[in-house]
Amino acid sequence: MARILLVTNIFPPFIGGPAIFIDRLAHSLSARGHEVTVICSSEGMPGAAYDAQRPFKVCRVDLSNRYKYEIMVRLTLLWQLLRHKLILVNGLENYLARIAQLLRRRYVLKIVGDSVWEQGRNWGLVTAGFDEFQNQPTPAKLMGIKAARDRCLAMADVVVTPGVWLSRVVGKWGVAEQRLQVIRNGVPMATFNQEPSTRTGDLDILFIGRLTNWKGAETLLLALVGQTGMKLTVVGDGPELPLISNLIQQLGLQGVVTLAGKMEQAKLHTRMQSAHVLVLPSNYEGLSHTLLEAGAAGLARIASDIGGNQDAVAHEIDGILFPYGDVAALRAALLRLRDDEPLRLKLAQAARAAAQRDDFKGTVDAYVKLLEERAA
């Protein structure tokens, strides 16, 4: 039995890739007899019963008071790093790296994207797409964030990415090939146990994700203008929510689009299994949990033709890829699935078959092997 520390920025009831991944991994590691502790940020502190049902310890750091948070997150990480030598990091890495450097602790670091590009987009300093940005000089105002990212990478024994495309990107940041490992995200197939839903009315479309300026939700709204026989539910929130809400009004889509906000994982899975199509029109993804789960749930998938999505969707085999930002191409893909029910079902069934090859047990096995090798 090993004592394992998992560090993440988000955790249920938050939704998102890291939250889902760390919760599932912690359950699986605990079931294998390991003593697991999770450190995470939390908006408020859920009641004791919420985490008591989990077979591992959850150390939540409350975000409601930012000044207190900045102190407590460092103290919590310091205490747990003193107690653990086996550490997997999937968030809070900037806080953790400095403490790890002080304690001479190494860790396994999971990278799912580029924090430098994301922050540049959030601050309005970067307009370039993800791939284009990788080949440009880093703006001076982002050099501090780049230095923090590089420090996190330098302190890691192993850097794990969920897909081959992102591994190549991280290699260009200066991480040696022998320190890189690809472990694909997985899906617990037992959670999704029904065949694709048949249509009796409008095409039921889902968008699931954090509403940021690279997720492309506005492209999807524009594609729906003037169309009939389709309904869209947007699940999630984020800094672009006011813009998306206003755009729905301006485009006259009030009767077509529903803003569902955040949704707990169990409810989200139920909602996915009643839908027909998932659309992910983003500018970049590492390897999207949402795309994989949509396949497992029996949804046809339409996604932008960018690196991470190419790792998850085989064009015209188990989904449809379209050029990022191309409203006409996305509209054409939606109309194909609206008007061709056999094609939709064919893509959905192929997506379920592909998801079975990415069962979460394989993901856990790979991480357990990696952590146990380091323990030995």
Side-chain angles (χ1 to χ4, degrees):
M1 181 185 77
R3 180 182 290 175
I4 301 172
L5 177 65
L6 307 179
V7 182
T8 180
N9 56 329
I10 58 174
F11 193 73
F14 281 124
I15 62 171
I20 295 168
F21 166 72
I22 290 293
D23 192 26
R24 289 175 180 164
L25 182 62
H27 273 94
S28 298
L29 289 170
S30 298
R32 295 174 187 233
H34 298 292
E35 181 184 333
V36 180
T37 299
V38 172
I39 295 177
C40 62
S41 303
S42 185
E43 286 185 358
M45 305 299 282
Y50 187 84
D51 287 331
Q53 63 186 323
R54 289 185 162 85
F56 52 87
K57 182 178 181 180
V58 181
C59 298
R60 295 182 179 271
V61 186
D62 190 359
L63 280 163
S64 58
N65 183 318
R66 191 70 203 189
Y67 296 104
K68 184 177 178 181
Y69 173 83
E70 293 293 330
I71 296 170
M72 292 305 300
V73 72
R74 290 171 169 84
L75 288 176
T76 303
L77 287 167
L78 174 62
W79 172 241
Q80 294 299 339
L81 259 65
L82 286 168
R83 298 182 63 246
H84 292 86
K85 292 184 179 179
L86 277 180
I87 305 159
L88 173 64
V89 183
N90 192 194
L92 301 179
E93 58 267 28
N94 288 339
Y95 292 102
L96 183 133
R98 289 190 179 277
I99 299 169
Q101 191 173 26
L102 177 68
L103 299 179
R104 298 182 180 179
R105 282 282 193 275
R106 310 289 284 185
Y107 47 78
V108 175
L109 176 64
K110 183 179 181 184
I111 291 287
V112 297
D114 183 1
S115 57
V116 182
W117 180 82
E118 289 186 15
Q119 196 63 68
R121 293 280 295 215
N122 286 336
W123 288 351
L125 299 173
V126 174
T127 57
F130 184 89
D131 290 325
E132 183 184 357
F133 178 77
Q134 302 305 314
N135 298 314
Q136 295 178 347
T138 302
K141 291 184 179 180
L142 296 176
M143 289 302 293
I145 297 172
K146 181 180 182 296
R149 183 194 70 191
D150 292 346
R151 180 170 54 249
C152 298
L153 292 168
M155 289 302 300
D157 270 343
V158 181
V159 178
V160 180
T161 65
V164 173
W165 168 80
L166 188 57
S167 183
R168 295 195 192 103
V169 171
V170 175
K172 292 178 181 178
W173 297 345
V175 178
E177 185 177 350
Q178 61 267 27
R179 292 174 55 220
L180 283 169
Q181 185 168 336
V182 176
I183 301 178
R184 284 180 65 88
N185 292 335
V187 182
M189 289 300 298
T191 304
F192 303 98
N193 54 11
Q194 71 178 48
E195 291 300 308
S197 297
T198 54
R199 273 185 66 194
T200 55
D202 291 339
L203 188 70
D204 187 355
I205 306 164
L206 284 182
F207 170 96
I208 301 170
R210 183 164 166 75
L211 295 171
T212 61
N213 62 22
W214 61 83
K215 282 292 185 180
E218 68 283 355
T219 306
L220 178 53
L221 296 181
L222 290 168
L224 291 172
V225 173
Q227 306 307 309
T228 60
M230 297 185 281
K231 301 287 186 181
L232 168 66
T233 301
V234 175
V235 179
D237 65 6
E240 297 293 303
L241 178 59
L243 182 148
I244 295 301
S245 181
N246 288 337
L247 190 57
I248 290 169
Q249 300 293 321
Q250 292 169 16
L251 297 175
L253 295 173
Q254 298 94 321
V256 176
V257 181
T258 299
L259 294 175
K262 292 180 181 179
M263 200 174 284
E264 287 194 0
Q265 191 172 329
K267 184 178 179 182
L268 178 60
H269 289 167
T270 300
R271 180 66 184 89
M272 290 174 78
Q273 293 191 145
S274 68
H276 303 128
V277 179
L278 178 114
V279 179
L280 184 61
S282 54
N283 186 268
Y284 98 110
E285 300 285 339
L287 184 67
S288 168
H289 282 277
T290 301
L291 276 181
L292 298 179
E293 291 197 346
L299 277 73
R301 301 170 300 169
I302 302 174
S304 49
D305 190 9
I306 51 91
N309 291 347
Q310 293 168 3
D311 280 346
V313 175
H315 182 53
E316 298 286 353
I317 296 173
D318 56 30
I320 297 174
L321 297 173
F322 73 97
Y324 168 74
D326 190 331
V327 174
L330 175 53
R331 180 181 296 125
L334 288 167
L335 291 174
R336 283 182 69 192
L337 298 187
R338 183 196 69 180
D339 298 337
D340 191 340
E341 179 74 350
L343 172 64
R344 183 187 70 81
L345 290 173
K346 175 187 172 184
L347 293 176
Q349 288 161 354
R352 260 186 72 81
Q356 290 171 351
R357 298 193 293 271
D358 285 320
D359 189 81
F360 191 67
K361 182 180 181 299
T363 301
V364 172
D365 288 343
Y367 275 101
V368 169
K369 179 181 178 183
L370 176 58
L371 292 168
E372 289 181 341
E373 284 175 351
R374 296 186 74 247

